[in-house]
Amino acid sequence: MKSDCIQTTICQERKKDPIEMFHSGQLVKVCAPMVRYSKLAFRTLVRKYSCDLCYTPMIVAADFVRSIKARDSEFTTNQGDCPLIVQFAANDARILSDAARIVCPYANGIDINCGCPQRWAMAEGYGACLINKPELVRDMVKQVRNEVENPRFSVSVKIRIHDDLPRTIDLCRKAEATGVSWITVHGRTVEERHQPVHYDAIKIIKENMSIPVIANGDIRSLKEAENVWQITRTDGVMVARGLLANPALFAGYEETPLKCIWDWVDIALELGTPYMCFHQHLMYMMEKITSRQEKRIFNALSSTSAVLDYLTEHYGI
C-alpha cells in the first residue's frame, strides 16, 4: 500500500514520544478517539489547551486498507498534529498490520479498539467483543510488531472491563506479554453506559501491569482528571465528552472560554471543516454559556456565514 495516497504532511521527526511521556511521572492528558469528532481540526484545538496526546476517531481497518477514498476521508494530519495515535477497529491481524504500515510515517502508533460497545461494531467482530478474544488481540499485536519496522511505533489497546475483574487482568497480562505499549481502560463493562465508573477496578489493573495504563471514563474537569490519576495511580487520563463540552478542560478552565471559541472558528475555517462538524462542535462548546432561547436560535443556524454573524453580534468574535 502506498502511504502517499493519504492527503497529509509527514511529520519527519516525531520528537514527543508517548512512551517517554508516560514514564515522566507527570499526568499525561489524552484526547479520546471520538467518532466524527476527534478529527484534525479538533485535535489542533485541544493541543492549544494543554492536551498532551491525541487519538484519531475509530477507523475500520478493512475499509482503510481497501479504499483510497476511505483513507482520504478518514485520516488527515499535519506536522503540528503530534504525538498522534490512530485507532483502528479490526478483527484480522493481516489487515490491521497493512493499515498500520500505511499510517506509520504519519503517526506515533496505532490503537486497537477493544472497548466500543455499539451493537454494529460487536456484530462485525470489532470493539468490546475483543475483550473475550485475547488470542486474537495477541495475534494482531504480534503481526503489527512483525510488519512495522520502526521500533518506536507504539501498539496499544483500549478496553472495557469484565464483570469478573480477574478476566480483565488476565487479558491485560496477555496483551503486555505480547508487546503492547500501553493499555487504556474504560472503567465500565460492555453493558454499562451511564453507571458510575469503576475507578477501583482501573487501580487494580494498574497494580498488575508493568506497562503504562490510561484511565478513562466520566471526567469533566482538570480537577477530576487529577483526582482520577491519583486514585488509580495510572500514567495518564483520557477524556472524551468532557473535551467536547470544554476543549480547554486540560488547561484548567471550568467552562469553554471565549478565546477557545475564537480559536475553533479560526482553525475550522483554515482547515476547511465541513459545516455540520463546525456547527456541532460549537453547540457542544456553548452548552453552558448560552440560555435555552439562545440555544434554540443558534442550533437552528444552517450556514457558516450565519454562525459567524451570530457569534460576531453576540460575542464580538
Side-chain angles (χ1 to χ4, degrees), residues 29-43:
K29 302 181 285 290
V30 186
C31 177
M34 292 177 280
V35 174
R36 295 187 301 277
Y37 294 122
S38 51
K39 295 194 173 184
L40 176 60
F42 188 69
R43 298 195 302 266

Side-chain angles (χ1 to χ4, degrees), residues 74-246:
E74 295 295 324
F75 180 56
T76 305
T77 187
N78 59 27
Q79 284 187 310
D81 189 27
C82 175
L84 177 66
I85 304 300
V86 182
Q87 190 188 68
F88 285 112
N91 58 14
D92 181 279
R94 169 56 63 184
I95 290 173
L96 179 64
S97 67
D98 287 345
R101 286 192 293 112
I102 293 172
V103 301
C104 182
Y106 308 94
N108 294 81
I110 65 155
D111 183 80
I112 306 171
N113 186 318
C114 303
C116 179
Q118 294 185 40
R119 290 178 182 175
W120 75 266
M122 296 182 67
E124 295 289 336
Y126 305 140
C129 70
L130 291 174
I131 65 174
N132 298 315
K133 299 178 180 180
E135 292 77 16
L136 176 54
V137 174
R138 176 200 63 201
D139 292 345
M140 289 194 289
V141 174
K142 280 188 174 180
Q143 187 77 26
V144 175
R145 287 286 184 219
N146 290 336
E147 294 293 326
V148 176
E149 296 180 358
N150 182 357
R152 296 178 63 190
F153 191 76
S154 66
V155 184
S156 57
V157 296
K158 184 174 187 291
I159 67 169
R160 283 185 171 237
I161 60 174
H162 297 88
D163 287 315
D164 179 21
L165 190 58
R167 289 185 63 196
T168 311
I169 294 170
D170 181 64
L171 168 70
C172 293
R173 284 174 171 167
K174 287 177 177 176
E176 178 178 7
T178 306
V180 163
S181 305
W182 67 81
I183 296 173
T184 301
V185 183
H186 181 95
R188 291 189 177 98
T189 66
V190 174
E191 292 77 23
E192 292 175 326
R193 292 295 187 272
H194 303 293
Q195 291 88 339
V197 178
H198 302 286
Y199 296 121
D200 55 336
I202 300 176
K203 181 176 186 291
I204 293 169
I205 292 168
K206 172 57 184 173
E207 290 170 349
N208 282 271
M209 296 289 103
S210 298
I211 57 175
V213 174
I214 302 174
N216 173 229
D218 270 5
I219 294 163
R220 304 286 182 165
S221 69
L222 178 60
K223 184 176 181 180
E224 287 184 10
E226 291 171 340
N227 287 342
V228 168
W229 178 52
Q230 291 172 358
I231 291 168
T232 60
R233 302 294 182 184
T234 48
D235 306 279
V237 169
M238 176 182 283
V239 179
R241 287 175 293 181
L243 279 174
L244 281 182
N246 179 10

Side-chain angles (χ1 to χ4, degrees), residues 2-20:
K2 290 187 176 181
S3 57
D4 60 4
C5 296
I6 304 170
Q7 300 299 312
T8 56
T9 301
I10 296 178
C11 181
Q12 296 286 357
E13 186 177 5
R14 295 188 171 268
K15 296 179 180 179
K16 297 178 181 177
D17 188 331
I19 296 294
E20 293 179 5

